[in-house]
Amino acid sequence: SNGTAAPNYAARPETLKPLLTEALQTWEMDALALDELTNHRPLSALAPFLFENLGLAKEFKMDIPRMKHYFVEIESGYRDNPYHNRTHASSVLHVMHMLLSSGGIAAACAAAADGIDDTSHRVGLVQVAGLLAAAVHDFEHEGLSNDFLVKTFSPKALRYNDRNVNENHHVAAAFEVLRRSDCNFLEAMPEDEFRKLRSLVVDMVLSTDMADGNYYLKVFKEALAS
């Protein structure tokens, strides 16, 4: 389909590779430069690079061609909004990667992947979930707030009963794409792991609704105080 071709950045690998490597290893990443160098395909360049170079693709037996196609499809669902766009998605993906890896969040949250005996595998699953959630967290965002969608009785608001309207759509639509045979790069993942992954991704994307921000901040503060 139109706009779903693979990223065309082969002409400038000498400048792109250092930028991706910097994103992998440091807190600094110029998302706008990445957007320009990848011909406006920053997300579908960065996501597979992270999954492969973090060893997650190998650990979870990801289908590389289908993974690359999945992120091309997801990226194509990001519209040219001033804010909720593919460059924003790649920036959030990078920050999520650094929080999980260098910030110690993946190890600290490993208990969220309960039921998996191997600690390293458990941490890896949390990483996969976090990266996937970051990549899809604004998928097909129309640039309209939940409040507007609810007050105008939009089809999305009616479908999701006025609750976390945008966020419910982002994650549901992203999993619909993942379930397509040409995009299901996690097909080899055991069902119990996939269900845990799905649960984590859904929770993370739904929690990006800023209307719930005070609640999560309260829970976080109470956890720190205990």
Side-chain angles (χ1 to χ4, degrees), residues 75-100:
E75 186 163 55
S76 297
Y78 276 89
R79 308 184 183 187
D80 292 327
N81 298 319
Y83 183 74
H84 301 99
N85 53 49
R86 57 186 61 178
T87 308
H88 164 69
S90 66
S91 177
V92 171
L93 174 61
H94 167 249
V95 173
M96 174 64 86
H97 152 59
M98 291 305 297
L99 287 170
L100 288 166

Side-chain angles (χ1 to χ4, degrees), residues 115-149:
I116 298 173
D117 294 333
D118 183 75
T119 303
S120 176
H121 198 69
R122 199 160 57 236
V123 172
L125 190 71
V126 171
Q127 278 186 286
V128 174
L131 296 176
L132 185 57
V136 308
H137 83 281
D138 276 333
F139 181 54
E140 295 185 340
H141 202 301
E142 297 175 277
L144 302 172
S145 69
N146 284 337
D147 190 51
F148 179 86
L149 294 174

